[in-house]
Amino acid sequence: MSRPEDTLAADVHYDDTEARKYTTSSRIQNIQASMTQRALELLDLKFPSLILDVGCGSGLSGEILSQVPPEEGGPHVWVGMDISASMLDVALQRDVEGDLLLADIGQGVPFRPGTFDAAISISAIQWLCNAESSETSPAGRLSRFFNGLYSSLKRGGRAVCQFYPKNDVQKQMITSAAVKAGFGAGLLEDDPETKNVKLYLVLTVGGNATGSKDIADVVDGMDGVDVLDNRKKGEKGGKGEIKKGSKAWIIKKKEQMERKGKIVKATSKFTGRKRRVQF
Amino acid sequence: MKVLTLNFLTCAVKACKTTNNSFPLHPKDAELVHDEIEINRDLLVNVLPRIDWTALRTTSTELGFPTLPEQPPTAEDLQQDEKMLKELHALLLETQMMEGKLVCGHCGHEYAVREGIANFLLPSHLV
Ligand SMILES: C[S@@+](CC[C@H](N)C(=O)[O-])C[C@H]1O[C@@H](n2cnc3c(N)ncnc32)[C@H](O)[C@@H]1O
Ligand SMILES: [Zn+2]
């Protein structure tokens, strides 16, 4: 698959032609909708919320938020940020309900602290791995984004970012930037090792206020999540001589992870899916 | 851009992060529209505690609306007082700024608003 992220700036790639092509493709509409549904499920919002859509594009993800029925805790109100004027233009033509900001998330998130109940980002943040100019570095842009996102969320809030890393280096770079900003972080992979693999970074904002949750509790309530907490809680797991990938190996790994304070959980309606626990 | 959003947006300039004058941004030459949308009581009850009421009073006056009461309504008011609910809904969710500028009270930076979209792209020396 070609990766425009590797060669172009996002606002150059998503010009008028590409923005229209992207938005009118029913294949893309379906994929973005189902990933947004998955993100919503992970957010587990109980009542109508104020949500930030990071890299909202033409609103394919955001409009799902507006459509959540009251029985499922909606509808939500959202604000979208995107760097591509062409994508936002298509959003306007489609008359989306969210408010739109022409903004570069690598420059930060311009909302006062504790603004949002939650945030989603669907297929956008991998773009931050490529510096848009010589004055900025990917690390600097990632850190400004995650620091801004962290502060813009209310305590106890969550963010779910589905993204397409080019490789493990990018995956690591993004995850560690989130953790450095203060988030409790976990990675969830749907359909691993298939060409439809989808990676979700699940972020929680802790805090000491009552009602705030530790990532362990948060994950407890989530369906089908194999989440790894990046905090270290003491002892390292012993070396195993067991064949990698075998059932015994998996059980051993899970024990190791539990000992490290990581969360191992895999029972839900998504259990039928192939999934991989990551380290 | 809804008035609700204006109650949360701050200046994006780095030097303004630590001052109080960079919020709320001040509308200038604002063109407003009223866009009817369905009342979402639970949403209003949810965001009410997060509304900066003093800032909302400022924004509302600057947009040319009558002065808001000094005290914000309570969640109970929103449950019981249909009229108050409607008014708050009309101001926060139905009133949209379509054209104009949002000006920072600290650095003076002007964020253009066109067709309801605010432009927050900054030249790199301000980030
Ligand atoms: C694949 S599209 C996804 C759009 C939308 N979330 C959806 O699900 O259809 C990726 C979007 O990320 C935006 N994007 C990339 N880099 C960005 C940045 N630095 N700041 C804001 N948006 C960015 C692009 O302009 C593009 O609209
Ligand atoms: Zn300023």
Side-chain angles (χ1 to χ4, degrees), chain A residues 45 48 78 85 90 112 151 153 161 212 235 238 241 248 250-251 266-267:
Chain A
L45 299 165
W78 56 279
V90 177
R112 63 183 168 85
S151 131
L153 288 166
C161 305
S212 71
E235 84 228 64
E241 305 297 324
I250 293 172
I251 291 171
T267 33

Side-chain angles (χ1 to χ4, degrees), chain A residues 47-50 74-79 82-83 88-89 92 97-104 106-112 114-117 133 135-136 144 154, chain B residues 1-12 17 23 35 37 40 42-43 46-47 50-52 93 96 114-125 127:
Chain A
F47 36 74
S49 301
L50 187 57
H76 305 297
V77 170
W78 56 279
V79 179
D82 204 282
I83 199 173
L88 294 179
D89 207 44
L92 276 189
E97 287 172 48
D99 275 352
L100 306 170
L101 241 55
L102 178 61
D104 175 3
Q107 296 191 327
V109 179
F111 293 90
R112 63 183 168 85
T115 294
F116 297 104
D117 293 288
S133 80
E135 289 145 82
T136 53
R144 264 196 296 276
K154 70 173 194 196
Chain B
M1 175 112 337
K2 300 177 181 65
V3 171
L4 176 72
T5 307
L6 294 182
N7 198 255
F8 293 105
L9 266 180
T10 64
C11 182
K17 288 266 142 68
F23 173 83
D35 199 4
I37 58 178
N40 188 336
D42 291 344
L43 178 97
N46 175 17
V47 298
R50 268 175 280 167
I51 297 288
D52 184 322
L93 290 140
Q96 305 237 20
R114 285 198 208 101
E115 295 187 84
I117 302 180
N119 182 347
F120 270 73
L121 292 174
L122 286 180
S124 55
H125 69 275
V127 179

Side-chain angles (χ1 to χ4, degrees), chain B:
Chain B
M1 175 112 337
K2 300 177 181 65
V3 171
L4 176 72
T5 307
L6 294 182
N7 198 255
F8 293 105
L9 266 180
T10 64
C11 182
V13 171
K14 194 177 182 189
C16 291
K17 288 266 142 68
T18 48
T19 97
N20 291 331
N21 297 337
S22 56
F23 173 83
L25 298 171
H26 304 284
K28 189 175 146 192
D29 307 328
E31 283 175 31
L32 304 178
V33 295
H34 187 90
D35 199 4
E36 229 164 86
I37 58 178
E38 214 172 303
I39 292 200
N40 188 336
R41 188 196 304 260
D42 291 344
L43 178 97
L44 281 169
V45 170
N46 175 17
V47 298
L48 182 66
R50 268 175 280 167
I51 297 288
D52 184 322
W53 193 256
T54 312
L56 184 64
R57 295 183 79 213
T58 306
T59 305
S60 159
T61 310
E62 288 174 352
L63 290 176
F65 295 116
T67 315
L68 295 182
E70 248 171 68
Q71 292 303 321
T74 62
E76 253 166 42
D77 294 338
L78 293 188
Q79 299 291 359
Q80 291 157 9
D81 189 334
E82 227 33 53
K83 183 165 168 277
M84 186 173 286
L85 175 73
K86 273 191 190 142
E87 281 176 4
L88 196 64
H89 169 78
L91 176 63
L92 290 175
L93 290 140
E94 296 190 320
T95 308
Q96 305 237 20
M97 175 165 168
M98 297 308 287
E99 302 288 328
K101 295 183 181 84
L102 294 169
V103 186
C104 172
H106 183 247
C107 72
H109 191 89
E110 298 190 342
Y111 299 90
V113 178
R114 285 198 208 101
E115 295 187 84
I117 302 180
N119 182 347
F120 270 73
L121 292 174
L122 286 180
S124 55
H125 69 275
L126 293 179
V127 179

Side-chain angles (χ1 to χ4, degrees), chain A residues 10 14 22 32 55-57 60-61 82-83 103-105 122-124 127:
Chain A
Y14 291 106
Y22 175 90
Q32 301 312 110
C56 62
L60 293 182
S61 44
D82 204 282
I83 199 173
D104 175 3
I105 56 167
I122 308 296
S123 318
W127 282 96

Side-chain angles (χ1 to χ4, degrees), chain A residues 5 9-14 22-23 28-29 31-33 35-36 53-62 81-85 87-88 101-108 120-128 130 132 141 145 162 164, chain B residues 121:
Chain A
E5 294 94 330
D11 49 341
V12 177
H13 172 69
Y14 291 106
Y22 175 90
T23 313
I28 289 176
Q29 287 172 4
I31 298 174
Q32 301 312 110
M35 292 190 296
T36 309
D53 186 350
V54 174
C56 62
S58 49
L60 293 182
S61 44
M81 294 175 71
D82 204 282
I83 199 173
S84 158
M87 286 293 255
L88 294 179
L101 241 55
L102 178 61
D104 175 3
I105 56 167
Q107 296 191 327
I120 61 160
S121 181
I122 308 296
S123 318
I125 59 172
Q126 71 277 356
W127 282 96
L128 286 173
N130 314 307
E132 314 250 317
R141 290 167 56 73
F145 165 60
Q162 178 276 326
Y164 293 115
Chain B
L121 292 174

